[in-house]
Amino acid sequence: MNNRALVLDVEATGISDDAQATELGWCDVYFNEKGELQPSSKAFVQRCKPELPISFGSMAVTHIHDDELVNEPSHRDVIQHVVNDSVSYVIGHNIDYDMRVIGNAGVNRQFKRICTLAIARACYPVDTDHKLLAMLYMLDYEFAREHGKSAHSAKFDVMFCVRILRIMCINNNITNMEQLYQFSEHCRVPAYLRFGKHKGKHIDDVDLSYKQYMLGKGLDDPYTALAFERSVAKNLAQIAERNRIIKEKKDQEAARAAAEAFLRGSGQPAA
């Protein structure tokens, strides 16, 4: 089957750019005839052997240790088998991290990425913890209470991701995969800053000079850069409009003053 949509979760050796997979979870999903997101298979999981040692930080989160992976298949073999040419859409909570790890296994072609973290941040922007398990508690409390202790297992994280995504699709009237992808792309352009001295502020409320400085410096995330570019353009348009109104008012005042001076010189009363 081509044009597959795959929900993914990767546990890895660490968070560095060269991190490699220690465990891969995945599940096929589709929209049924009613326009509802459904899993088309159960969630699968496969541990795999990286070429790098696992960091202590990752061990503390995943409880996966190097000696447990000695007899597992290579991370390259596992990932290249699962994330193959039949897949068009890849879905995950912070999918860019997963795809970086997947890229380190030699899978470098382009996929349509759907980020549930970006969707959660856009749909619930204020006073919300957007971590996967926190979103599950908010959107599907009873399921989270029953299964939440299994978080950071790739299989369960995939299940959690499917459940919160299904609910967010219902809440936003999303009924097909391409619509979901376009919605994710829209949500990935942030409205609020997530870093720096203005963290938590709406980007439109941040000083124009700061946004211009950051754009000149260079932003690693293209979606944040796009948000800054749009906001700067909006600010400049507002400044141009304000200046136009000021100039128009001054021109009107000057014309009125000139008319009054002319009328005074001619002996006629001013209007």
Side-chain angles (χ1 to χ4, degrees), residues 75-269:
H75 72 111
R76 297 179 185 273
D77 291 343
V78 171
I79 287 174
Q80 290 179 22
H81 175 72
V82 174
V83 191
N84 56 45
D85 289 344
S86 68
V87 177
S88 296
Y89 300 90
V90 289
I91 304 167
H93 208 69
N94 192 15
I95 188 64
D96 290 344
Y97 168 78
D98 297 297
M99 294 311 295
R100 186 171 77 234
V101 176
I102 285 169
N104 291 337
V107 177
N108 294 308
R109 75 177 184 84
Q110 295 299 309
F111 299 89
K112 290 186 174 182
R113 301 181 183 188
I114 296 171
C115 184
T116 57
L117 175 59
I119 295 172
R121 283 171 169 165
C123 292
Y124 311 96
V126 181
D127 297 330
T128 301
D129 186 335
H130 299 103
K131 294 184 179 69
L132 180 59
L133 188 55
M135 292 303 304
L136 186 68
Y137 267 109
M138 187 176 82
L139 297 174
D140 198 347
Y141 182 77
E142 292 302 326
F143 186 86
R145 281 199 65 174
E146 183 178 353
H147 299 288
K149 291 180 181 179
S150 299
H152 300 299
S153 155
K155 179 179 180 178
F156 277 90
D157 283 356
V158 164
M159 291 167 57
F160 299 163
C161 190
V162 171
R163 290 187 79 93
I164 69 165
L165 182 58
R166 173 182 165 82
I167 294 167
M168 291 191 294
C169 284
I170 292 170
N171 290 347
N172 290 280
N173 299 312
I174 294 168
T175 58
N176 65 72
M177 200 61 68
E178 184 61 22
Q179 183 189 8
L180 175 57
Y181 167 69
Q182 294 298 335
F183 183 64
S184 172
E185 285 291 284
H186 169 75
C187 291
R188 293 187 72 169
V189 181
Y192 294 84
L193 271 180
R194 297 192 294 270
F195 60 86
K197 63 181 182 180
H198 296 295
K199 183 177 180 180
K201 273 190 178 181
H202 196 287
I203 291 175
D204 286 346
D205 295 332
V206 175
D207 294 340
L208 174 60
S209 60
Y210 176 79
K211 289 180 284 196
Q212 291 174 320
Y213 165 75
M214 291 302 295
L215 283 172
K217 183 180 178 182
L219 291 161
D220 293 334
D221 176 38
Y223 295 97
T224 302
L226 179 58
F228 272 52
E229 289 167 1
R230 288 176 176 175
S231 186
V232 166
K234 182 178 180 180
N235 289 161
L236 292 176
Q238 289 169 338
I239 291 169
E241 178 62 13
R242 186 163 60 246
N243 289 340
R244 184 193 67 77
I245 292 171
I246 291 171
K247 182 178 183 301
E248 185 177 88
K249 185 176 181 180
K250 286 181 177 179
D251 289 346
Q252 289 171 349
E253 290 173 351
R256 180 178 177 82
E260 289 174 348
F262 172 78
L263 292 171
R264 284 196 301 271
S266 65
Q268 299 181 36

